[in-house]
Coordinates of all heavy atoms in Angstrom, one line a residue:
M1453 N 12.2 -8.0 3.8 CA 11.4 -7.5 4.8 C 10.0 -8.2 4.8 O 9.6 -8.7 3.8 CB 11.1 -6.0 4.4 CG 10.6 -5.2 5.6 SD 10.6 -3.4 5.3 CE 12.3 -2.9 5.4
Q1454 N 9.4 -8.3 5.9 CA 8.1 -9.0 6.1 C 7.0 -8.1 6.5 O 7.2 -7.1 7.2 CB 8.3 -10.1 7.1 CG 9.3 -11.2 6.7 CD 9.4 -12.2 7.8 OE1 9.1 -12.0 8.9 NE2 10.0 -13.4 7.4
D1455 N 5.8 -8.5 6.1 CA 4.6 -7.7 6.6 C 4.2 -8.1 8.0 O 4.9 -8.9 8.6 CB 3.4 -7.9 5.6 CG 2.8 -9.3 5.6 OD1 3.3 -10.2 6.3 OD2 1.9 -9.5 4.8
I1456 N 3.1 -7.6 8.5 CA 2.7 -7.8 9.8 C 2.4 -9.3 10.2 O 2.5 -9.7 11.3 CB 1.4 -7.0 10.2 CG1 1.2 -7.0 11.7 CG2 0.2 -7.4 9.4 CD1 0.2 -5.9 12.2
I1457 N 2.1 -10.1 9.2 CA 1.8 -11.6 9.5 C 3.0 -12.5 9.0 O 2.9 -13.7 9.0 CB 0.5 -12.0 8.9 CG1 0.4 -11.9 7.4 CG2 -0.7 -11.3 9.6 CD1 -0.8 -12.5 6.8
G1458 N 4.1 -11.8 8.7 CA 5.3 -12.6 8.4 C 5.5 -13.0 6.9 O 6.4 -13.8 6.6
Q1459 N 4.7 -12.5 6.0 CA 4.9 -12.8 4.6 C 6.0 -12.0 4.0 O 6.1 -10.8 4.3 CB 3.6 -12.5 3.8 CG 2.4 -13.2 4.3 CD 1.2 -12.8 3.5 OE1 0.8 -13.5 2.5 NE2 0.5 -11.7 3.9
E1460 N 6.9 -12.6 3.2 CA 8.0 -11.9 2.6 C 7.4 -10.9 1.5 O 6.5 -11.2 0.8 CB 8.9 -12.8 1.8 CG 9.9 -13.5 2.8 CD 10.8 -12.6 3.5 OE1 11.3 -11.6 2.9 OE2 11.1 -12.9 4.7
L1461 N 8.0 -9.7 1.5 CA 7.5 -8.6 0.6 C 8.6 -8.4 -0.5 O 9.8 -8.4 -0.2 CB 7.3 -7.3 1.4 CG 6.2 -7.4 2.5 CD1 6.2 -6.2 3.3 CD2 4.8 -7.6 1.9
E1462 N 8.1 -8.0 -1.7 CA 8.9 -7.7 -2.8 C 8.3 -6.5 -3.5 O 7.1 -6.2 -3.4 CB 9.0 -8.8 -3.8 CG 9.7 -10.1 -3.2 CD 9.7 -11.2 -4.2 OE1 9.5 -10.9 -5.4 OE2 9.9 -12.4 -3.8
V1463 N 9.2 -5.8 -4.2 CA 8.7 -4.6 -5.0 C 7.6 -5.1 -6.0 O 7.8 -6.2 -6.6 CB 9.9 -4.0 -5.8 CG1 9.3 -2.9 -6.8 CG2 10.8 -3.3 -4.8
G1464 N 6.5 -4.4 -6.1 CA 5.4 -4.8 -7.0 C 4.3 -5.5 -6.3 O 3.2 -5.7 -6.9
D1465 N 4.5 -6.0 -5.1 CA 3.5 -6.8 -4.4 C 2.3 -5.9 -4.0 O 2.5 -4.7 -3.6 CB 4.0 -7.4 -3.1 CG 4.9 -8.6 -3.3 OD1 4.8 -9.2 -4.4 OD2 5.6 -9.0 -2.3
P1466 N 1.1 -6.4 -4.2 CA -0.1 -5.6 -3.7 C -0.2 -5.7 -2.2 O 0.0 -6.8 -1.7 CB -1.3 -6.3 -4.5 CG -0.8 -7.6 -4.8 CD 0.7 -7.6 -4.9
V1467 N -0.5 -4.6 -1.6 CA -0.6 -4.6 -0.1 C -1.9 -3.8 0.3 O -2.3 -2.9 -0.4 CB 0.6 -4.0 0.6 CG1 1.8 -4.9 0.4 CG2 0.9 -2.6 0.0
A1468 N -2.4 -4.1 1.5 CA -3.5 -3.3 2.1 C -2.9 -2.6 3.3 O -2.1 -3.1 4.0 CB -4.6 -4.2 2.5
F1469 N -3.4 -1.3 3.5 CA -2.9 -0.5 4.6 C -3.9 0.6 4.8 O -4.9 0.8 4.1 CB -1.5 0.1 4.2 CG -1.6 1.0 3.0 CD1 -1.7 2.3 3.1 CD2 -1.5 0.4 1.7 CE1 -1.7 3.1 1.9 CE2 -1.5 1.1 0.6 CZ -1.6 2.5 0.7
I1470 N -3.7 1.3 5.9 CA -4.6 2.5 6.3 C -3.8 3.7 6.1 O -2.7 3.8 6.7 CB -5.2 2.3 7.7 CG1 -6.1 1.1 7.8 CG2 -5.9 3.6 8.1 CD1 -6.7 0.8 9.1
V1471 N -4.3 4.7 5.3 CA -3.6 5.9 5.2 C -3.7 6.7 6.5 O -4.8 6.8 7.1 CB -4.3 6.7 4.0 CG1 -3.6 8.1 3.8 CG2 -4.1 6.0 2.7
P1472 N -2.7 7.4 6.9 CA -2.8 8.1 8.2 C -3.9 9.1 8.1 O -4.2 9.8 7.1 CB -1.4 8.8 8.3 CG -0.5 8.0 7.5 CD -1.3 7.4 6.4
N1473 N -4.6 9.3 9.3 CA -5.7 10.2 9.4 C -7.0 9.8 8.7 O -8.0 10.5 8.6 CB -5.4 11.6 9.0 CG -4.2 12.1 9.8 OD1 -4.1 11.9 11.0 ND2 -3.3 12.8 9.2
Y1474 N -7.1 8.6 8.2 CA -8.3 8.0 7.5 C -8.6 6.7 8.2 O -7.8 6.1 8.9 CB -8.1 7.8 6.0 CG -7.9 9.1 5.3 CD1 -6.7 9.8 5.1 CD2 -9.1 9.8 4.8 CE1 -6.6 11.0 4.5 CE2 -9.0 11.0 4.1 CZ -7.8 11.6 4.0 OH -7.7 12.8 3.3
R1475 N -9.8 6.2 8.0 CA -10.2 5.0 8.7 C -10.5 3.8 7.7 O -10.8 2.7 8.2 CB -11.5 5.3 9.5 CG -11.2 6.2 10.6 CD -12.5 6.6 11.3 NE -13.2 5.4 11.8 CZ -13.5 5.1 13.0 NH1 -13.2 6.0 14.0 NH2 -14.1 4.0 13.4
Q1476 N -10.4 4.0 6.4 CA -10.7 2.9 5.5 C -9.4 2.3 5.0 O -8.4 2.9 4.9 CB -11.6 3.4 4.3 CG -10.9 4.2 3.3 CD -11.2 5.7 3.5 OE1 -11.7 6.1 4.5 NE2 -10.9 6.5 2.5
L1477 N -9.5 1.0 4.6 CA -8.4 0.3 4.1 C -8.1 0.8 2.7 O -9.1 1.2 1.9 CB -8.6 -1.2 4.0 CG -8.4 -2.0 5.3 CD1 -8.9 -3.4 5.1 CD2 -7.0 -2.0 5.7
T1478 N -6.9 0.8 2.3 CA -6.5 1.2 0.9 C -5.6 0.1 0.3 O -4.9 -0.5 1.1 CB -5.7 2.6 1.0 OG1 -6.5 3.5 1.6 CG2 -5.3 3.0 -0.4
V1479 N -5.7 -0.1 -1.0 CA -4.8 -1.1 -1.6 C -3.8 -0.3 -2.5 O -4.2 0.6 -3.2 CB -5.7 -2.0 -2.5 CG1 -4.9 -3.0 -3.3 CG2 -6.7 -2.7 -1.6
G1480 N -2.6 -0.8 -2.5 CA -1.6 -0.2 -3.3 C -0.5 -1.2 -3.6 O -0.7 -2.4 -3.4
R1481 N 0.6 -0.8 -4.2 CA 1.7 -1.6 -4.6 C 3.0 -1.1 -4.0 O 3.2 0.1 -3.8 CB 1.9 -1.7 -6.1 CG 0.9 -2.4 -6.9 CD 1.4 -2.5 -8.3 NE 0.4 -3.0 -9.2 CZ 0.2 -4.3 -9.5 NH1 1.0 -5.2 -8.9 NH2 -0.8 -4.7 -10.3
I1482 N 3.9 -2.0 -3.6 CA 5.2 -1.7 -3.1 C 6.0 -1.1 -4.2 O 6.1 -1.7 -5.3 CB 5.9 -2.9 -2.4 CG1 5.1 -3.3 -1.2 CG2 7.3 -2.5 -2.1 CD1 5.6 -4.6 -0.6
V1483 N 6.5 0.1 -4.0 CA 7.3 0.8 -5.0 C 8.8 0.6 -4.7 O 9.6 0.3 -5.7 CB 7.0 2.3 -5.0 CG1 8.0 3.0 -6.0 CG2 5.6 2.5 -5.4
K1484 N 9.2 0.7 -3.5 CA 10.6 0.5 -3.1 C 10.7 0.3 -1.6 O 9.8 0.6 -0.9 CB 11.5 1.6 -3.6 CG 11.4 2.9 -2.9 CD 12.5 3.9 -3.4 CE 12.5 5.1 -2.5 NZ 13.5 6.0 -3.0
F1485 N 11.9 -0.2 -1.2 CA 12.2 -0.3 0.2 C 13.3 0.7 0.6 O 14.2 1.0 -0.1 CB 12.8 -1.7 0.5 CG 11.8 -2.8 0.3 CD1 11.8 -3.5 -0.9 CD2 10.9 -3.1 1.2 CE1 10.9 -4.5 -1.1 CE2 9.9 -4.2 1.0 CZ 9.9 -4.9 -0.2
T1486 N 13.1 1.3 1.8 CA 14.2 2.1 2.4 C 14.8 1.2 3.5 O 14.3 0.0 3.7 CB 13.7 3.4 3.0 OG1 12.8 3.1 4.1 CG2 12.9 4.2 1.9
E1487 N 15.7 1.7 4.3 CA 16.3 0.8 5.3 C 15.3 0.4 6.4 O 15.3 -0.7 6.9 CB 17.5 1.6 6.0 CG 18.7 1.6 5.1 CD 19.9 2.2 5.9 OE1 19.9 2.0 7.1 OE2 20.8 2.7 5.2
Q1488 N 14.3 1.3 6.7 CA 13.4 1.0 7.8 C 11.9 1.0 7.4 O 11.1 0.6 8.1 CB 13.5 2.0 8.9 CG 14.9 1.9 9.6 CD 15.0 2.9 10.7 OE1 14.2 3.8 10.9 NE2 16.1 2.8 11.5
Q1489 N 11.6 1.5 6.2 CA 10.2 1.6 5.7 C 10.0 1.1 4.3 O 11.0 0.7 3.6 CB 9.8 3.0 5.8 CG 9.7 3.6 7.3 CD 9.2 5.0 7.3 OE1 9.5 5.8 6.5 NE2 8.4 5.3 8.4
I1490 N 8.8 1.1 3.9 CA 8.4 0.6 2.6 C 7.6 1.7 1.9 O 6.7 2.3 2.5 CB 7.5 -0.6 2.7 CG1 8.2 -1.8 3.4 CG2 7.0 -1.1 1.4 CD1 7.3 -2.9 3.9
Q1491 N 8.0 2.1 0.7 CA 7.3 3.1 0.0 C 6.2 2.4 -0.9 O 6.5 1.5 -1.6 CB 8.2 3.9 -0.9 CG 7.5 5.1 -1.5 CD 8.5 6.0 -2.3 OE1 9.5 5.5 -2.8 NE2 8.3 7.3 -2.2
V1492 N 4.9 2.9 -0.7 CA 3.8 2.3 -1.3 C 3.1 3.3 -2.2 O 2.9 4.4 -1.8 CB 2.7 1.8 -0.2 CG1 1.5 1.2 -0.9 CG2 3.4 0.8 0.7
G1493 N 2.8 2.9 -3.4 CA 2.1 3.7 -4.4 C 0.6 3.3 -4.4 O 0.3 2.1 -4.4
F1494 N -0.3 4.3 -4.4 CA -1.7 4.0 -4.5 C -2.4 5.2 -5.2 O -1.8 6.2 -5.4 CB -2.3 3.8 -3.1 CG -2.2 5.0 -2.2 CD1 -3.3 5.8 -1.9 CD2 -1.0 5.3 -1.5 CE1 -3.2 6.8 -1.1 CE2 -0.9 6.4 -0.7 CZ -2.0 7.2 -0.4
T1495 N -3.7 4.9 -5.5 CA -4.5 5.9 -6.2 C -5.6 6.3 -5.4 O -6.4 5.4 -4.9 CB -4.9 5.4 -7.6 OG1 -3.8 5.0 -8.4 CG2 -5.8 6.4 -8.4
V1496 N -5.8 7.6 -5.2 CA -7.0 8.1 -4.5 C -8.1 8.4 -5.6 O -7.9 9.1 -6.5 CB -6.7 9.4 -3.7 CG1 -7.9 10.0 -3.1 CG2 -5.6 9.2 -2.7
T1497 N -9.2 7.7 -5.4 CA -10.3 7.8 -6.5 C -11.4 8.8 -6.1 O -12.1 9.3 -6.9 CB -10.9 6.4 -6.8 OG1 -11.4 5.9 -5.5 CG2 -9.9 5.5 -7.4
G1498 N -11.6 9.0 -4.8 CA -12.6 10.0 -4.4 C -12.1 11.1 -3.6 O -10.8 11.3 -3.5
G1499 N -12.9 11.9 -3.0 CA -12.5 13.0 -2.2 C -12.2 14.2 -3.0 O -12.5 14.3 -4.2
W1500 N -11.6 15.2 -2.3 CA -11.4 16.5 -2.9 C -10.2 16.6 -3.8 O -10.0 17.5 -4.5 CB -11.5 17.6 -1.9 CG -10.4 17.5 -0.9 CD1 -10.4 16.7 0.3 CD2 -9.1 18.2 -0.9 NE1 -9.2 16.9 0.9 CE2 -8.4 17.8 0.3 CE3 -8.5 19.1 -1.8 CZ2 -7.1 18.3 0.6 CZ3 -7.3 19.5 -1.5 CH2 -6.6 19.1 -0.3
K1501 N -9.3 15.6 -3.6 CA -8.0 15.7 -4.4 C -7.6 14.3 -4.9 O -6.6 13.7 -4.4 CB -6.9 16.3 -3.4 CG -5.8 16.9 -4.2 CD -4.9 17.6 -3.2 CE -3.7 18.2 -3.9 NZ -2.7 18.8 -3.0
P1502 N -8.3 13.8 -5.9 CA -7.9 12.4 -6.4 C -6.6 12.5 -7.2 O -6.2 13.5 -7.6 CB -9.1 12.1 -7.3 CG -9.7 13.4 -7.7 CD -9.4 14.3 -6.6
G1503 N -6.0 11.3 -7.2 CA -4.8 11.2 -8.0 C -3.8 10.1 -7.4 O -4.2 9.5 -6.4
K1504 N -2.7 10.0 -8.0 CA -1.7 9.0 -7.5 C -0.9 9.6 -6.4 O -0.6 10.8 -6.3 CB -0.8 8.6 -8.7 CG -1.5 7.9 -9.8 CD -0.5 7.4 -10.8 CE -1.2 6.7 -11.9 NZ -1.8 5.4 -11.6
R1505 N -0.6 8.7 -5.4 CA 0.2 9.1 -4.2 C 1.2 8.1 -3.9 O 1.2 7.0 -4.2 CB -0.8 9.2 -3.0 CG -2.0 10.1 -3.1 CD -1.6 11.5 -2.9 NE -2.8 12.4 -2.8 CZ -3.4 12.9 -3.8 NH1 -3.0 12.6 -5.0 NH2 -4.5 13.6 -3.7
L1506 N 2.2 8.6 -3.1 CA 3.2 7.7 -2.5 C 3.2 7.9 -1.0 O 3.0 9.0 -0.5 CB 4.6 8.0 -3.0 CG 4.9 7.7 -4.5 CD1 6.2 8.3 -4.9 CD2 4.8 6.2 -4.7
L1507 N 3.4 6.8 -0.3 CA 3.4 6.9 1.2 C 4.4 5.9 1.7 O 4.6 4.8 1.2 CB 2.0 6.5 1.7 CG 1.7 6.4 3.1 CD1 1.8 7.8 3.8 CD2 0.4 5.8 3.4
R1508 N 5.1 6.3 2.8 CA 6.0 5.4 3.5 C 5.3 4.8 4.7 O 4.7 5.5 5.5 CB 7.2 6.1 3.9 CG 8.1 6.4 2.8 CD 9.5 6.9 3.2 NE 10.3 7.2 2.1 CZ 11.4 7.9 2.2 NH1 11.9 8.2 3.4 NH2 12.1 8.1 1.1
Q1509 N 5.4 3.5 4.8 CA 4.8 2.7 5.9 C 5.9 1.8 6.5 O 6.8 1.3 5.8 CB 3.6 1.9 5.4 CG 2.5 2.6 4.9 CD 1.6 3.2 5.9 OE1 2.0 4.2 6.6 NE2 0.4 2.7 6.1
R1510 N 5.7 1.5 7.8 CA 6.5 0.4 8.4 C 6.0 -0.9 8.0 O 4.8 -1.0 7.6 CB 6.5 0.6 9.9 CG 7.1 1.8 10.5 CD 7.2 1.8 12.0 NE 6.1 1.1 12.7 CZ 5.1 1.8 13.2 NH1 5.0 3.1 13.2 NH2 4.1 1.1 13.8
S1511 N 6.8 -1.9 8.1 CA 6.3 -3.3 7.7 C 5.2 -3.8 8.5 O 4.4 -4.6 8.1 CB 7.5 -4.2 7.6 OG 8.0 -4.4 8.9
D1512 N 5.1 -3.3 9.8 CA 4.0 -3.8 10.6 C 2.7 -3.0 10.4 O 1.7 -3.3 11.0 CB 4.4 -3.8 12.1 CG 4.6 -2.4 12.6 OD1 4.7 -1.4 11.8 OD2 4.7 -2.2 13.8
Q1513 N 2.7 -2.1 9.4 CA 1.5 -1.4 9.1 C 0.8 -1.8 7.8 O -0.1 -1.2 7.3 CB 1.8 0.1 9.0 CG 2.3 0.7 10.3 CD 2.8 2.2 10.1 OE1 3.5 2.5 9.2 NE2 2.3 3.0 11.0
I1514 N 1.4 -2.8 7.1 CA 0.8 -3.3 5.9 C 0.7 -4.8 5.9 O 1.3 -5.5 6.7 CB 1.6 -2.9 4.7 CG1 3.0 -3.5 4.7 CG2 1.7 -1.4 4.5 CD1 3.8 -3.3 3.5
V1515 N -0.2 -5.3 5.0 CA -0.3 -6.8 4.8 C -0.4 -7.1 3.3 O -1.1 -6.4 2.6 CB -1.6 -7.3 5.6 CG1 -2.9 -6.8 5.0 CG2 -1.6 -8.9 5.6
K1516 N 0.4 -8.1 2.9 CA 0.4 -8.5 1.5 C -0.9 -9.1 1.2 O -1.4 -10.0 1.9 CB 1.6 -9.4 1.3 CG 1.7 -9.9 -0.1 CD 3.0 -10.8 -0.2 CE 3.2 -11.4 -1.5 NZ 4.4 -12.2 -1.5
I1517 N -1.5 -8.8 0.0 CA -2.7 -9.4 -0.4 C -2.5 -10.1 -1.7 O -1.6 -9.7 -2.5 CB -3.9 -8.4 -0.5 CG1 -3.6 -7.3 -1.4 CG2 -4.3 -7.9 0.9 CD1 -4.7 -6.3 -1.7
S1518 N -3.3 -11.1 -2.1 CA -3.1 -11.8 -3.3 C -4.4 -12.3 -3.9 O -5.5 -12.1 -3.2 CB -2.2 -13.0 -3.1 OG -2.7 -13.9 -2.2
G1519 N -4.4 -12.8 -5.0 CA -5.6 -13.4 -5.6 C -6.2 -12.5 -6.7 O -5.8 -11.3 -6.9
P1520 N -7.2 -13.0 -7.4 CA -7.8 -12.2 -8.5 C -8.5 -11.0 -8.1 O -8.5 -10.0 -8.8 CB -8.7 -13.2 -9.2 CG -9.0 -14.3 -8.2 CD -7.8 -14.3 -7.3
D1521 N -9.1 -10.9 -6.9 CA -9.8 -9.7 -6.5 C -8.8 -8.6 -6.3 O -9.1 -7.4 -6.7 CB -10.5 -10.0 -5.2 CG -11.7 -10.9 -5.4 OD1 -12.2 -11.0 -6.5 OD2 -12.1 -11.6 -4.4
A1522 N -7.7 -8.8 -5.7 CA -6.7 -7.8 -5.5 C -6.2 -7.3 -6.9 O -6.0 -6.1 -7.1 CB -5.5 -8.3 -4.7
L1523 N -5.9 -8.2 -7.8 CA -5.5 -7.8 -9.1 C -6.5 -6.9 -9.9 O -6.2 -5.9 -10.5 CB -5.1 -9.0 -10.0 CG -4.6 -8.7 -11.4 CD1 -3.4 -7.9 -11.4 CD2 -4.4 -10.1 -12.1
V1524 N -7.8 -7.3 -9.8 CA -8.8 -6.6 -10.5 C -8.9 -5.2 -9.9 O -9.0 -4.2 -10.6 CB -10.2 -7.3 -10.4 CG1 -11.3 -6.4 -10.9 CG2 -10.1 -8.6 -11.3
Y1525 N -8.9 -5.1 -8.6 CA -9.0 -3.8 -7.9 C -7.8 -2.8 -8.4 O -8.0 -1.7 -8.7 CB -8.9 -3.9 -6.4 CG -9.0 -2.6 -5.7 CD1 -10.3 -2.0 -5.4 CD2 -7.9 -1.9 -5.3 CE1 -10.3 -0.8 -4.8 CE2 -7.9 -0.7 -4.7 CZ -9.2 -0.1 -4.4 OH -9.2 1.1 -3.8
L1526 N -6.6 -3.4 -8.4 CA -5.5 -2.6 -8.8 C -5.5 -2.1 -10.3 O -5.2 -1.0 -10.6 CB -4.2 -3.3 -8.5 CG -3.8 -3.4 -7.0 CD1 -2.7 -4.4 -6.9 CD2 -3.4 -2.1 -6.5
L1527 N -6.0 -3.0 -11.1 CA -6.1 -2.7 -12.5 C -7.2 -1.6 -12.8 O -7.0 -0.7 -13.6 CB -6.5 -3.9 -13.4 CG -5.4 -4.9 -13.5 CD1 -5.9 -6.2 -14.2 CD2 -4.2 -4.4 -14.2
K1528 N -8.2 -1.6 -12.0 CA -9.3 -0.5 -12.1 C -8.8 0.8 -11.6 O -9.2 1.8 -12.2 CB -10.5 -0.9 -11.2 CG -11.4 -2.0 -11.8 CD -12.6 -2.2 -10.9 CE -13.5 -3.3 -11.3 NZ -14.6 -3.5 -10.4
T1529 N -7.9 0.9 -10.7 CA -7.5 2.1 -10.1 C -6.2 2.7 -10.6 O -5.9 3.8 -10.3 CB -7.4 2.0 -8.5 OG1 -6.5 1.0 -8.2 CG2 -8.8 1.7 -7.9
E1530 N -5.4 1.9 -11.3 CA -4.1 2.4 -11.8 C -4.2 3.0 -13.2 O -5.0 2.9 -14.0 CB -3.1 1.3 -11.8 CG -2.7 0.9 -10.4 CD -1.6 -0.2 -10.4 OE1 -1.3 -0.8 -11.4 OE2 -1.0 -0.4 -9.3

């Protein structure tokens, strides 16, 4: 499966996406693939109900990110 810009996706890849009903970007990791969607795990750090979450997204709703900044962000929030 590919993200919105055509990058191949694998389980464990860090991705950026927007949580439904919110306006900010969120960073998470791919947990698994279904036939039509991707399950992404992420951590909510603020707000009224912080904690770990799972969300299903279509491949055109996420973009794979890479580099040391993405890794540092994920290590801080996981």
Side-chain angles (χ1 to χ4, degrees):
M1453 199 172 284
Q1454 297 179 339
D1455 69 1
I1456 192 167
I1457 60 174
Q1459 301 178 95
E1460 282 298 321
L1461 298 170
E1462 297 179 17
V1463 171
D1465 283 345
V1467 293
F1469 58 98
I1470 296 177
V1471 177
N1473 302 317
Y1474 291 88
R1475 294 177 55 125
Q1476 71 259 18
L1477 281 172
T1478 303
V1479 176
R1481 285 188 192 269
I1482 295 176
V1483 174
K1484 73 176 189 176
F1485 295 97
T1486 67
E1487 287 189 24
Q1488 296 180 350
Q1489 294 183 322
I1490 300 165
Q1491 189 171 34
V1492 180
F1494 63 102
T1495 301
V1496 176
T1497 56
W1500 63 276
K1501 201 172 180 185
K1504 295 187 182 286
R1505 305 277 189 278
L1506 292 174
L1507 177 68
R1508 287 190 180 170
Q1509 297 280 73
R1510 294 189 324 260
S1511 63
D1512 64 348
Q1513 294 175 313
I1514 64 173
V1515 65
K1516 181 177 173 179
I1517 57 175
S1518 61
D1521 293 335
L1523 179 61
V1524 168
Y1525 179 85
L1526 288 168
L1527 289 173
K1528 283 183 184 178
T1529 59
E1530 289 184 348

